[in-house]
Amino acid sequence: MLYPIFSKTRSMYDLSGVWNFKLGEHDPGKKLSSGEVMVVPTSFNDVVVDKDKRNYIGDFWYERFLDIPQINQDQELVLRFGSVTHAAKVYVNGQFLGQHQGGFTPFEIVIPEHLHQDGQLQLAVYANNVLDYTTLPVGNYSEEVLEDGGIKKQVKENFDFFNYAGIHRPVKLVVRPKIHISDIIITSHLSEDLKKAEVRVSVETSAPVDKVEVLIYDQEKNKLGHIENGKLEIENVCLWEVLDAYLYTARVSLFKDGNLIDTYDEEFGIRSVRVDNGQFFINEKPFYFKGFGKHEDTYINGRGLNEAANLMDLNLLKEIGANSFRTSHYPYSEEMMRLADRLGIVVIDEIPAVGLFQNFTAALDISDKDHGTWKLMKTKDAHEQAIQELVKRDKNHACVIMWVVANEPASHEEGAHEYFEPLVQLYKDLDPQKRPVTLVNILMATPDKDKVMDLVDVICLNRYYGWYLEHGDLDKAKIGLKKELLDWQALYPDKPILITEYGADTLPGLHSMWEIPYTEEFQCDFYDMSHDVFDTIPNLVGEQVWNFADFETNLMILRVQGNHKGLFSRNRQPKQVVKTFKKRWTSIPNYHNKKNSVK
Ligand code: BDP
């Protein structure tokens, strides 16, 4: 789905701001009379302040009025939502216009022409934050009968982050031609010496046109040529490199009867990605991932778009010598993906497939018994939709180098292989760039028990030796970690291994002489131990820390006002360990052949 931009033929109005708001039932045919207001975009939870409202589960409503711009008969008006978490229905002047399920991907709704006449429009958005065994993420849904006979809906998160909800990303009113560019698909193929690229662009339109023209510009806006028979060869190509991005532009224009009817600029980078012989190649060089699992999580905004925080996070990421992050555990905003493209930051792109594990309450149940997860979950449809929508949205991003099919599912339980095989295949079928696909493996699904890693290209592991396993005993942790990594390497000698999570909760300011968990010293020792092991495994192609920053979670025995495994606090102040990381990561090159450097 195309990101909303201005062009000669397209304009848009930002509908951000203060909207009317109500938690609970509402008839969209009437005016919202709650007297409450909410900011768009943001999570409502922390902003409402009241405790019961913060934890509210169920339906909620937004409303605003807008004067519509005058448009001509060849144009249409579109409401475009970056994301509404987790479900939305859109009404204009009381008329239901469309809906979307899934809280992390964009959707758009055309406003029918008969409503344009009404002058001022009443826009009402229904949202709902219920999660259950049919949704992604997966939640444990229940209803409690209250003393007064009322029903209180509850969702116990089946994952370790707060279930923030609301209109999380921008809402735009887009004016575009009725006959318009509906999609642009860009792929490129590099010559062996990486000097030439064959760029292929295909364009989808909402209706047939006489001519589709695609001009390619370099980053300095010089015209390089146009796409002929679907392709253009670029000589002396400037590659999109890690931390050294270069973005070309494809300017797509549609013509009818010799007139320009729509035009759209899509930026793209040229790079190759490939997995081979236990290594991960970007631009044919073995790449080493240094970085983070993150969250969209800031004070006040919750999971709502916070572009300043996004930029600060990526600046901190670069400052510490990292080069990558994973969009754990859901697709991040389009704004973040565009920023990563520009800054040359490598992204592992994940759908909200988290909680596919019956009875998962963060880290409390680490037994390997079969809970019957795959009989219980009814997530197949939501899972397919999430993959389709993510690939449709992010396929042209150079920063995206791998797709994640799920985070920490019960991949050791009966039925996991059957569940995941078609989903991995779906990614492969849909992605025009044929990027590698992975699944992020949970600590119980050790090489002897896991049933799915044969399906994926990279062995991504979340491992907590020294924290959830051998808690506080780093000597034993070291032995366990090394043994397991060697076992994975022996089982899949051709697949690279990537550590996608490792970490220890740490409260800044807490100190000890004696390797006591939660202290800043322990966090340093934990990472030193882990790195000693990582550096001995030839197929281990990278390390992504859990987490970039502390973040908000559900209430749980193991959580002290949230998860504290961040290298930075929630307000982005460094913990002691940041210095250690900066030293390590600035001395590990982004590209190097680990196989040659490890004896
Ligand atoms: C893993 C999850 C992550 C948690 C983390 C932890 O992938 O979402 O926050 O461990 O327990 O289970 O800190």
Side-chain angles (χ1 to χ4, degrees):
M1 179 176 283
L2 297 178
Y3 184 70
I5 59 162
F6 288 101
S7 80
K8 253 189 194 160
T9 57
R10 292 168 175 242
S11 54
M12 61 185 180
Y13 301 83
D14 186 5
L15 302 185
S16 300
V18 177
W19 293 38
N20 298 327
F21 181 69
K22 185 183 179 201
L23 295 173
E25 304 295 301
H26 168 60
D27 173 358
K30 301 198 175 124
K31 294 211 168 100
L32 236 184
S33 52
S34 67
E36 284 203 52
V37 292
M38 182 50 57
V39 168
V40 171
T42 192
S43 297
F44 73 77
N45 308 80
D46 292 355
V47 177
V48 286
V49 176
D50 176 87
K51 174 176 149 250
D52 290 338
K53 289 182 178 173
R54 179 177 195 260
N55 296 323
Y56 173 83
I57 296 292
D59 299 346
F60 50 103
W61 290 85
Y62 292 81
E63 178 198 64
R64 67 161 284 166
F65 294 85
L66 53 141
D67 280 324
I68 57 165
Q70 282 208 328
I71 59 171
N72 66 44
Q73 59 185 31
D74 300 327
Q75 292 177 314
E76 62 185 12
L77 278 177
V78 185
L79 288 164
R80 211 264 189 196
F81 296 83
S83 74
V84 179
T85 311
H86 296 281
K89 290 181 189 163
V90 177
Y91 298 81
V92 170
N93 291 357
Q95 188 182 327
F96 171 71
L97 296 187
Q99 59 188 332
H100 183 258
Q101 177 70 42
F104 304 93
T105 35
F107 59 97
E108 51 184 42
I109 283 163
V110 178
I111 304 178
E113 269 170 33
H114 69 268
L115 291 172
H116 298 190
Q117 320 315 328
D118 292 5
Q120 214 190 33
L121 300 185
Q122 177 204 21
L123 168 62
V125 179
Y126 153 98
N128 175 289
N129 59 355
V130 167
L131 295 172
D132 59 22
Y133 292 157
T134 68
T135 61
L136 294 182
V138 176
N140 299 297
Y141 178 72
S142 63
E143 292 180 355
E144 185 190 330
V145 183
L146 302 173
E147 272 176 16
D148 64 2
I151 290 194
K152 187 176 174 196
K153 297 177 177 172
Q154 283 169 327
V155 169
K156 211 176 148 351
E157 292 95 333
N158 211 36
F159 45 84
D160 183 32
F161 52 92
F162 190 82
N163 183 22
Y164 280 116
I167 299 184
H168 274 160
R169 297 179 189 157
V171 186
K172 303 261 161 80
L173 178 68
V174 176
V175 180
R176 73 177 175 205
K178 279 184 193 152
I179 301 177
H180 57 266
I181 301 154
S182 49
D183 206 0
I184 301 169
I185 300 141
I186 304 176
T187 56
S188 51
H189 181 77
L190 282 165
S191 62
E192 229 167 84
D193 61 5
L194 306 179
K195 293 219 161 70
K196 274 192 250 166
E198 185 186 283
V199 176
R200 289 183 171 264
V201 181
S202 74
V203 176
E204 287 172 13
T205 60
S206 62
V209 292
D210 296 343
K211 186 176 145 200
V212 178
E213 179 191 78
V214 184
L215 297 175
I216 304 293
Y217 294 83
D218 67 14
Q219 192 162 269
E220 292 71 42
K221 307 292 173 209
N222 302 307
K223 194 189 294 175
L224 299 182
H226 64 274
I227 298 282
E228 240 182 303
N229 298 325
K231 58 186 188 205
L232 172 75
E233 193 148 287
I234 301 182
E235 307 272 345
N236 300 319
V237 65
C238 282
L239 296 178
W240 185 94
E241 275 291 3
V242 176
L243 300 181
D244 186 14
Y246 189 96
L247 294 176
Y248 291 89
T249 299
R251 170 163 293 179
V252 179
S253 304
L254 307 184
F255 295 89
K256 212 163 181 182
D257 303 325
N259 299 321
L260 175 73
I261 51 173
D262 192 17
T263 182
Y264 186 97
D265 281 1
E266 177 82 333
E267 287 187 328
F268 66 98
I270 298 178
R271 52 105 190 86
S272 68
V273 176
R274 176 169 79 83
V275 164
D276 186 34
N277 188 26
Q279 291 187 311
F280 196 101
F281 293 86
I282 298 181
N283 294 335
E284 295 304 316
K285 293 168 285 194
F287 175 65
Y288 196 80
F289 292 81
K290 302 175 280 179
F292 302 95
K294 282 184 94 291
H295 266 297
E296 288 186 319
D297 173 279
T298 54
Y299 283 113
I300 305 172
N301 299 60
R303 192 143 293 120
L305 177 66
N306 185 336
E307 291 206 74
N310 284 351
L311 180 56
M312 182 174 183
D313 283 4
L314 296 191
N315 282 337
L316 287 168
L317 182 149
K318 286 197 299 184
E319 176 66 23
I320 191 175
N323 54 25
S324 60
F325 67 90
R326 173 169 64 114
T327 72
S328 43
H329 294 305
Y330 36 79
Y332 288 4
S333 66
E334 292 159 289
E335 291 73 14
M336 184 59 146
M337 303 306 284
R338 292 164 77 86
L339 196 57
D341 264 353
R342 280 181 72 171
L343 300 182
I345 289 166
V346 168
V347 178
I348 301 175
D349 212 358
E350 185 162 300
I351 47 172
V354 58
L356 289 158
F357 195 125
Q358 196 200 351
N359 272 340
F360 179 86
T361 36
L364 285 177
D365 180 1
I366 53 171
S367 75
D368 61 4
K369 67 171 182 265
D370 195 316
H371 297 273
T373 299
W374 304 107
K375 287 203 184 78
L376 187 80
M377 295 296 159
K378 301 281 176 277
T379 43
K380 184 172 171 281
D381 291 349
H383 216 133
E384 285 174 357
Q385 185 196 341
I387 292 172
Q388 280 155 358
E389 292 188 2
L390 184 68
V391 176
K392 194 139 184 71
R393 194 194 76 164
D394 286 355
K395 59 187 177 300
N396 292 336
H397 284 292
C399 65
V400 175
I401 49 70
M402 181 154 65
W403 308 106
V404 180
V405 72
N407 178 73
E408 296 196 342
S411 64
H412 54 302
E413 293 187 20
E414 232 17 82
H417 195 274
E418 294 73 6
Y419 181 86
F420 281 110
E421 193 169 23
L423 296 173
V424 171
Q425 193 55 44
L426 184 62
Y427 262 133
K428 301 228 170 216
D429 293 344
L430 293 176
D431 180 17
Q433 295 191 7
K434 306 293 169 214
R435 296 164 176 93
V437 177
T438 192
L439 178 146
V440 175
N441 166 290
I442 192 163
L443 59 84
M444 304 76 150
T446 44
D448 51 321
K449 300 196 180 75
D450 168 80
K451 298 184 194 304
V452 300
M453 295 314 263
D454 61 317
L455 296 170
V456 299
D457 300 299
V458 177
I459 307 291
C460 285
L461 304 175
N462 293 352
R463 286 301 176 271
Y464 288 94
Y465 284 94
W467 193 255
Y468 296 126
L469 297 174
E470 312 295 3
H471 184 70
D473 186 340
L474 295 178
D475 293 333
K476 277 201 185 136
K478 190 170 189 174
I479 295 167
L481 177 60
K482 179 148 189 176
K483 180 184 174 311
E484 192 186 337
L485 293 179
L486 289 172
D487 286 351
W488 280 111
Q489 189 173 259
L491 187 60
Y492 296 114
D494 291 333
K495 298 193 192 214
I497 299 171
L498 171 59
I499 304 295
T500 31
E501 288 184 25
Y502 64 123
D505 285 82
T506 305
L507 299 176
L510 204 61
H511 295 284
S512 166
M513 294 291 289
W514 306 292
E515 290 196 352
I516 304 280
Y518 296 96
T519 63
E520 300 214 44
E521 286 78 6
F522 183 82
Q523 191 180 32
C524 293
D525 293 342
F526 172 95
Y527 281 117
D528 286 345
M529 177 284 290
S530 306
H531 296 152
D532 280 353
V533 175
F534 296 170
D535 291 344
T536 66
I537 311 290
N539 280 12
L540 194 144
V541 299
E543 50 205 52
Q544 290 193 329
V545 166
W546 191 256
N547 187 285
F548 174 78
D550 295 351
F551 59 90
E552 184 62 313
T553 65
N554 186 11
L555 301 182
M556 275 178 287
I557 292 170
L558 285 185
R559 297 291 172 255
V560 189
Q561 208 180 43
N563 185 310
H564 289 270
K565 294 194 185 69
L567 295 202
F568 296 90
S569 63
R570 199 178 185 211
N571 63 4
R572 277 56 180 171
Q573 295 304 308
K575 298 182 189 172
Q576 188 175 311
V577 74
V578 162
K579 280 200 166 163
T580 318
F581 267 96
K582 187 168 179 183
K583 209 163 162 209
R584 172 175 171 80
W585 281 349
T586 49
S587 71
I588 299 178
N590 297 322
Y591 293 116
H592 73 283
N593 191 332
K594 181 121 183 264
K595 287 203 158 180
N596 291 346
S597 56
V598 176
K599 291 114 223 147

